[in-house]
Amino acid sequence: MTLMRPLKHQHSASILIVDDERLNRATLAELLQPNYQVLLAKNGDSALEIARDECMQLALVLLDVSMPGMSGYEVLQALRADTRTAHIPVIFITGKSDEAAEEYGLRLGAADYVSKPIRPAVLQARVKNQVDLFLRKRELEHLALADGLTGLANRRHFDDVLEQAHRRSSRSGEYLGLALIDIDHFKQFNDHYGHLQGDDALRAVAGAMRQHAQRAGDCAARYGGEEFAFVSLGTKESLPTLVENFRQSIQQLRITHSASATGQLTVSAGVVVCGPHLRTSVPELLAAADQLLYQAKSQGRNRMVQQVWE
């Protein structure tokens, strides 16, 4: 796999080009790279692997029909059979011009057909149409995946991101970090100040989380009630540093909390960081982060307890 990231691009979405001919891949990449993030695959197997790993951001697949091994038709069938990639639109790039081949591809679920030799203006227009449609659909889906009160990712979306990051870590060589965070004595806060101020406090915490989760590999979520979560790909220090900075920023908000030992709203966090080559499961990571959060609370709250697995 080759990943190309342009200096400027119009969309926060990626296009995967699949072709067994290097020249064809390079030509298409050069045509699209000024406006899009471009991923390249030279065969069906690598295309499916990339599509599964990048399914959250992949807006379109440009797929050659005739390839050795797995054909473009077979790749499309595999994409449609996987719930992670079934939604990704596919445009076939083909030298075949007969109607039967085009009809077959469309029946399999292709969004469009582009015939070789490529006409750049036509390809760009068709790609733009498909990417724009994808982004509109993604915006609607985002509303369903966002927590209504805070605007952060909801639990369903966070679970999906965590699963994707877990798969991606070993391939990218990055450490996978997971943090579970809880507002200290939040029930007492609600009881004393009322639920309206409680909601304001939740939104304030969410706003601070959003400011700290700025990298492409970061995800901040409302995990449930007064509990929040971070997932991040990076170095072993990336997420612990992010979480500690976030914890301190909550103190700096100076939200009065009479039931807290500090007199202010604070948070506790459990952080587990897993090395890219360590075999572990998502449930194990969640259980570890939850146990570390419990330790942070039992040690007096308003702190982070972390663990690195290598």
Side-chain angles (χ1 to χ4, degrees):
M1 182 194 74
T2 301
L3 175 61
M4 296 182 172
R5 295 194 183 278
L7 296 177
K8 288 185 175 181
H9 54 86
Q10 295 175 347
H11 304 295
S12 59
S14 303
I15 294 176
L16 172 60
I17 297 170
V18 189
D19 198 302
D20 62 302
E21 294 289 339
R22 178 180 295 181
L23 179 60
N24 292 342
R25 295 195 302 272
T27 300
L28 291 170
E30 183 178 2
L31 187 62
L32 298 174
Q33 196 174 8
N35 297 319
Y36 304 96
Q37 297 185 54
V38 175
L39 301 163
L40 304 178
K42 63 181 179 180
N43 55 48
D45 289 332
S46 61
L48 293 175
E49 180 183 356
I50 294 169
R52 290 164 186 149
D53 287 345
E54 302 292 334
C55 60
M56 302 292 288
Q57 294 297 323
L58 197 56
L60 180 65
V61 177
L62 296 180
L63 181 58
D64 185 26
V65 172
S66 300
M67 295 186 295
M70 185 180 294
S71 72
Y73 295 135
E74 291 172 315
V75 173
L76 177 57
Q77 287 176 309
L79 289 170
R80 292 293 172 264
D82 192 325
T83 56
R84 293 168 292 180
T85 58
H87 66 287
I88 303 170
V90 171
I91 294 179
F92 273 131
I93 306 291
T94 179
K96 298 181 179 180
S97 58
D98 59 289
E99 292 184 4
E102 183 173 349
E103 179 184 355
Y104 180 65
L106 294 173
R107 286 185 180 276
L108 287 178
D112 205 347
Y113 249 85
V114 174
S115 298
K116 298 177 182 178
I118 299 298
R119 290 178 291 168
V122 172
L123 176 67
Q124 288 173 325
R126 292 188 174 185
V127 165
K128 184 178 185 301
N129 288 341
Q130 292 299 328
V131 171
D132 287 349
L133 179 60
F134 169 86
L135 292 174
R136 286 196 294 270
K137 289 173 64 177
R138 191 172 70 174
E139 181 61 28
L140 293 174
E141 291 168 356
H142 173 74
L143 296 176
L145 296 175
D147 175 64
L149 178 65
T150 65
L152 297 178
N154 61 19
R155 175 69 178 272
R156 172 189 166 195
H157 185 40
F158 178 79
D159 288 343
D160 289 342
V161 171
L162 179 56
E163 287 283 353
Q164 183 188 13
H166 183 256
R167 292 193 303 270
R168 191 171 175 178
S169 173
S170 60
R171 184 171 61 84
S172 68
E174 296 172 289
Y175 283 78
L176 171 62
L178 170 65
L180 294 183
I181 299 159
D182 198 68
I183 300 178
D184 297 325
H185 301 298
F186 190 68
K187 182 181 184 302
Q188 292 91 325
F189 186 94
N190 265 338
D191 291 344
H192 185 76
Y193 298 102
H195 288 281
L196 290 179
Q197 286 198 45
D199 287 350
D200 287 342
L202 290 170
R203 282 189 284 264
V205 170
M209 290 191 74
R210 195 176 292 110
Q211 290 177 5
H212 286 82
Q214 293 290 330
R215 300 183 314 124
D218 297 338
C219 178
R222 186 180 181 194
Y223 200 66
E226 70 272 21
E227 196 168 13
F228 295 83
F230 277 118
V231 64
S232 178
L233 288 172
T235 66
K236 70 173 70 175
E237 297 86 10
S238 296
L239 189 61
T241 300
L242 182 154
V243 173
E244 179 57 22
N245 289 339
F246 160 73
R247 186 194 66 79
Q248 294 179 21
S249 74
I250 298 302
Q251 288 185 292
Q252 293 166 7
L253 292 174
R254 302 191 185 283
I255 299 172
T256 302
H257 187 355
S258 60
S260 171
T262 64
Q264 296 176 351
L265 194 78
T266 60
V267 297
S268 300
V271 179
V272 60
V273 179
C274 183
H277 305 299
L278 187 64
R279 292 187 178 182
T280 188
S281 68
V282 168
E284 287 173 329
L285 289 170
L286 286 167
D290 190 57
Q291 180 61 34
L292 293 168
L293 174 59
Y294 176 80
Q295 291 179 28
K297 286 184 167 294
S298 65
Q299 292 173 15
R301 295 181 168 83
N302 188 27
R303 69 194 63 223
M304 175 187 72
V305 176
Q306 63 173 305
Q307 195 173 81
V308 178
W309 296 352
E310 293 188 284

